Amino acid sequence: MAHMLSLSAAAKRPVANWQTDAAALRAIAQMAVNVELFTIPLYMTSLYSIQGFHPITGGGTDFYQGRLWAGAKTSADPKTTNDKAFNIVFSVFIQEMLHLQMAANMATVVGVSPTFTGAPLQDENGGWLCYGPDKSVIPGIIDLKDTKAHEDVAVNIGVLDETALRLFLAIEQPEADARANIKEAKRKDYFPKVPFDKWQAGDALPLFGTIGWMYQCYFDYLNLKYDDGSTLWSKVFNPKAVQNDLFNTSGSGGHPMREFMGFETTIALTYPDIAFEQMVQMMDAITDQGEGNTINRGGGLLMKAVEPKYQPNDAALKSDYPSYSDSGKLLPSADAEARWSNDGRDHYERFNELQGMLHDLVTWPQWLKRNPTWTAEMLTGEGLDPTNPYKLPTPADVAGALNALAADKKNSQPLLSQAVVGAIHGVTSVLNGYWAVPAPGETAPLFPFPSMSGSGDRMSTAWAILGEAPDLSMSLPPPAGDVLYHSCQGIDFNGDGTNSCAQVEVFHSCRGSNLCRATGGCGFVQPTTGGGNCSSAVATRAPAAASCSANGCGSGGGGSNGGGGDSTVYSAPGDNKCGGFGGCAVPISASQVFPKAGTMQLFNFVNEPGVGWKSKAIIGPTSELQFSVGEKVHTVAWRAFSAVMTARGQTPPANPPADDNIRLAFPPST
């Protein structure tokens, strides 16, 4: 069926207007990225306010059998209200990530290098500006003070309750409802017609009224025609646009099947007409999944179930996202159940359904009122080995840390807030490079999907300790270019090994998002050459260039074997040579162990006059370090630190410090 233009966009325009029109189109493209990104921390905060516990699992691994961690997870057999509610919000959260990917792919095709950090959503150091008790504007869409039904609703993060759902419904509201909801005196300020009246490059965009209308305007601008026979699409189409895909990639990296059989999540750039149709299909998918409408195709807009072609494939979800027990056995896929059972309804319908579940829902603030003291029993599941073969912190140790952090809320609240902000900023900062055209000789970083899980773990830990949402407006102090930062407790090459933990400036949750040398944690070993991701040690794409000094990585690493026939040489935790290299998760969880064995290359760090800090591979018999399956990451990090300090002619402390509470509280990665 042919797509229908808005009447205002159908008339031919003087070709002299095309550059202004292109500027408006590109502003809408970036605004689409902003809007999709805005929803992710918002929905994630409420998602992890749902009370629950989860084991740490992985195929063929039993490192954490019998241990539970604070934080709900998806359920393959949702029976309780909490199970069902978590699955519903999770399904929306994942689709917003899909929408962000598609918005970014569309942006590059019209000549925009999308940005995921900074204004208008964040400050320059990762603090979120768009949420707060005094905020009323859904970015780019509507000021809720101009509405009848939502004028008292703040645009703020918080627990999953009636207030949050009223905000979510306002975000996902269909056009007809939104038009009726706007105060009569304010209706002229919304639902602009294309081309925008008197708009000039650099002007603020008008507020769209709904997300669907934003995409309708996007579509209308793409279709503008000029009096010389040309179109705006022909003038802005970029056949060399960067395209990235997380959802429909298949055949490698643990993601064997494309998730959506009915539409493309990237744009084929060979033929402009095919690219155009794929652009519009993406817009349809976003609006149909969100508010239940596609771009105006004639015959009016109808609320209906999400079209089957915009729903994921059940078999693909099961294949791509398997679940395992904490003893490593394959189980029915919980993520597939959460998504497949809910993705047939749009977001607006799902949030309406949740309103009827609030009476029986248990959130962390409610649970903590009934259970003010953490105990080992709360964190103990079936099959816990009393011999503790991997010498992990016990459930009693973790419970004690949770109690201590909760008792010291004055200091815990900013620390946990910055841990969450750092994890999210690690994602958004990597995305800037992920969709940018790499500089000559460089390749873009991997999409940091596993760090989204890391962000969720930190978010749920913050809820379980504080009983309230972390403060996402708390910026991270900007890293100083002349400082050699460290990754974790005791591991400070500038000191004597007694520091308490990593500086908040370098908090992050995934490989590739560590900003500088010596700040890569590691739950999963990464090659010294870069590449790989948090869930794999296989190098596939190199990391972005280091951002912490002009000299970047310095000299490379060497080494011969990786233990057990693995020829890869890995980066030691806390001793990565450069930003983007090394591992994930700073601070390092006290329970994190290595899932494989191998060899690590060690690096020294030298502050050269006029140059700054530079990494140099250690040469000789102490240049490499062996690590074992199940060995604790911090133990290996301490061995690497001690070896480097010895190579520098310094005497490291004989023993590492006792695990601090923040490292005990954070769960390990999987």
Side-chain angles (χ1 to χ4, degrees):
M1 185 181 295
H3 292 80
M4 177 174 282
L5 274 174
S6 299
L7 291 176
S8 61
K12 288 186 177 181
R13 298 256 291 160
V15 70
N17 293 324
W18 85 264
Q19 290 180 315
T20 299
D21 294 339
L25 172 68
R26 288 167 176 153
I28 295 171
Q30 178 60 53
M31 183 57 71
V33 171
N34 294 347
V35 170
E36 305 301 349
L37 179 59
F38 157 82
T39 65
I40 291 176
L42 181 69
Y43 293 163
M44 182 172 71
T45 302
S46 292
L47 172 68
Y48 289 105
S49 75
I50 299 172
Q51 188 273 336
F53 295 93
H54 68 280
I56 301 297
T57 66
T61 63
D62 62 355
F63 299 128
Y64 310 109
Q65 186 172 5
R67 299 168 185 270
L68 297 175
W69 299 86
K73 295 293 182 182
T74 52
S75 173
D77 184 21
K79 294 179 178 178
T80 69
T81 298
N82 277 32
D83 289 342
K84 296 172 184 176
F86 192 93
N87 278 9
I88 290 172
V89 183
F90 176 83
S91 70
V92 174
F93 172 63
I94 294 298
Q95 281 192 333
E96 293 298 348
M97 294 172 61
L98 167 67
H99 296 177
L100 181 63
Q101 173 188 296
M102 293 193 295
N105 282 338
M106 289 189 290
T108 62
V109 174
V110 298
V112 175
S113 181
T115 58
F116 302 84
T117 56
L121 303 185
Q122 307 156 59
D123 65 28
E124 60 184 6
N125 295 315
W128 289 80
L129 304 170
C130 52
Y131 314 122
D134 60 336
K135 307 296 184 186
S136 62
V137 177
I138 297 171
I141 305 303
I142 197 167
D143 186 336
L144 295 181
K145 291 181 179 178
D146 293 341
T147 68
K148 303 171 188 175
H150 301 101
E151 62 179 338
D152 61 328
V153 175
V155 178
N156 197 17
I157 60 170
V159 70
L160 185 63
D161 60 9
E162 180 66 28
T163 299
L165 288 177
R166 289 178 66 203
L167 173 60
F168 298 171
L169 288 167
I171 293 169
E172 308 286 358
Q173 197 168 37
E175 180 187 332
D177 292 353
R179 285 184 182 271
N181 190 30
I182 296 172
K183 296 174 182 176
E184 187 173 353
K186 294 292 184 179
R187 289 176 184 171
K188 66 181 186 309
D189 298 331
Y190 297 95
F191 297 98
K193 295 180 180 180
V194 171
F196 301 149
D197 186 37
K198 298 179 182 179
W199 192 90
Q200 296 294 319
D203 289 351
L205 289 172
L207 292 173
F208 292 102
T210 67
I211 294 174
W213 193 257
M214 175 183 68
Y215 283 107
Q216 183 69 48
C217 291
Y218 203 157
F219 172 75
D220 287 346
Y221 265 106
L222 287 175
N223 278 278
L224 287 181
K225 295 180 174 60
Y226 298 106
D227 55 12
D228 67 347
S230 63
T231 64
L232 183 58
W233 170 250
S234 68
K235 294 180 180 295
V236 300
F237 173 65
N238 175 17
K240 296 183 179 180
V242 174
Q243 295 291 289
N244 288 305
D245 193 16
L246 181 69
F247 294 87
N248 272 1
T249 184
S250 63
S252 63
H255 195 274
M257 295 182 68
R258 58 179 289 155
E259 298 176 30
F260 296 91
M261 306 300 179
F263 74 101
E264 300 300 328
T265 56
T266 58
I267 298 168
L269 302 171
T270 306
Y271 295 99
D273 57 331
I274 294 175
F276 180 88
E277 288 303 320
Q278 290 176 339
M279 286 270 291
V280 178
Q281 195 173 54
M282 285 186 184
M283 295 180 194
D284 280 345
I286 291 170
T287 57
D288 197 21
Q289 291 172 353
E291 61 189 57
N293 296 328
T294 54
I295 300 300
N296 190 344
R297 298 168 179 262
L301 300 176
L302 298 175
M303 282 293 295
K304 56 187 181 299
V306 175
E307 293 185 25
K309 67 179 179 179
Y310 299 133
Q311 298 178 34
N313 179 273
D314 187 32
L317 294 180
K318 291 174 179 175
S319 299
D320 293 338
Y321 304 104
S323 292
Y324 298 94
S325 69
D326 60 4
S327 62
K329 296 180 180 178
L330 185 67
L331 297 175
S333 171
D335 285 6
E337 167 62 27
R339 294 176 58 188
W340 173 249
S341 294
N342 292 296
D343 283 0
R345 290 161 294 141
D346 60 62
H347 298 180
Y348 191 72
E349 291 172 311
R350 282 176 250 180
F351 288 143
N352 266 310
E353 181 184 357
L354 281 169
Q355 287 188 309
M357 302 169 65
L358 290 177
H359 181 267
D360 297 318
L361 184 73
V362 179
T363 62
W364 279 113
Q366 294 168 326
W367 188 87
L368 289 169
K369 284 183 180 179
R370 304 170 200 162
N371 302 273
T373 303
W374 288 92
T375 66
E377 289 73 22
M378 295 173 180
L379 303 174
T380 303
E382 295 182 3
L384 180 66
D385 187 341
T387 67
N388 195 7
Y390 300 110
K391 309 304 178 187
L392 301 178
T394 66
D397 294 331
V398 178
L402 293 172
N403 287 325
L405 291 166
D408 187 21
K409 192 172 179 179
K410 179 180 178 181
N411 292 311
S412 299
Q413 197 272 349
L415 180 64
L416 290 165
S417 295
Q418 288 180 310
V420 176
V421 169
I424 297 173
H425 187 61
V427 176
T428 55
S429 59
V430 170
L431 295 184
N432 283 339
Y434 186 62
W435 265 284
V437 176
E442 296 179 358
T443 54
L446 284 163
F447 187 95
F449 181 76
S451 67
M452 298 300 294
S453 298
S455 300
D457 284 341
R458 295 187 179 198
M459 180 74 78
S460 57
T461 302
W463 272 114
I465 292 170
L466 303 173
E468 63 185 44
D471 183 357
L472 299 191
S473 70
M474 293 194 69
S475 302
L476 298 174
D482 59 348
V483 173
L484 180 64
Y485 291 95
H486 59 274
S487 68
C488 206
Q489 185 183 5
I491 304 168
D492 183 358
F493 291 103
N494 297 309
D496 57 5
T498 60
N499 59 288
S500 61
C501 203
Q503 302 101 315
V504 295
E505 292 96 315
V506 295
F507 277 8
H508 67 278
S509 64
C510 197
R511 187 219 63 80
S513 62
N514 52 304
L515 298 176
C516 198
R517 60 190 66 79
T519 66
C522 207
F524 294 93
V525 285
Q526 303 297 333
T528 58
T529 52
N533 213 327
C534 284
S535 59
S536 171
V538 179
T540 54
R541 293 175 72 179
S547 59
C548 53
S549 83
N551 246 34
C553 293
S555 57
S560 55
N561 79 62
D566 182 356
S567 61
T568 306
V569 180
Y570 296 101
S571 181
D575 190 49
N576 60 298
K577 66 176 179 176
C578 179
F581 291 75
C584 52
V586 168
I588 300 170
S589 169
S591 298
Q592 188 75 57
V593 300
F594 282 120
K596 63 182 300 180
T599 299
M600 292 174 171
Q601 168 70 53
L602 299 181
F603 294 88
N604 190 15
F605 305 98
V606 179
N607 193 0
E608 297 185 354
V611 175
W613 288 100
K614 190 172 183 179
S615 57
K616 293 190 175 182
I618 293 175
I619 306 299
T622 61
S623 65
E624 294 182 342
L625 186 75
Q626 302 296 318
F627 65 99
S628 305
V629 173
E631 191 171 7
K632 290 196 293 185
V633 169
H634 192 270
T635 299
V636 176
W638 183 262
R639 290 201 287 121
F641 166 73
S642 299
V644 173
M645 293 293 278
T646 299
R648 294 171 124 193
Q650 297 173 262
T651 302
N655 299 298
D659 299 331
D660 69 4
N661 288 326
I662 194 72
R663 292 185 47 240
L664 286 166
F666 281 148
S669 304
T670 56

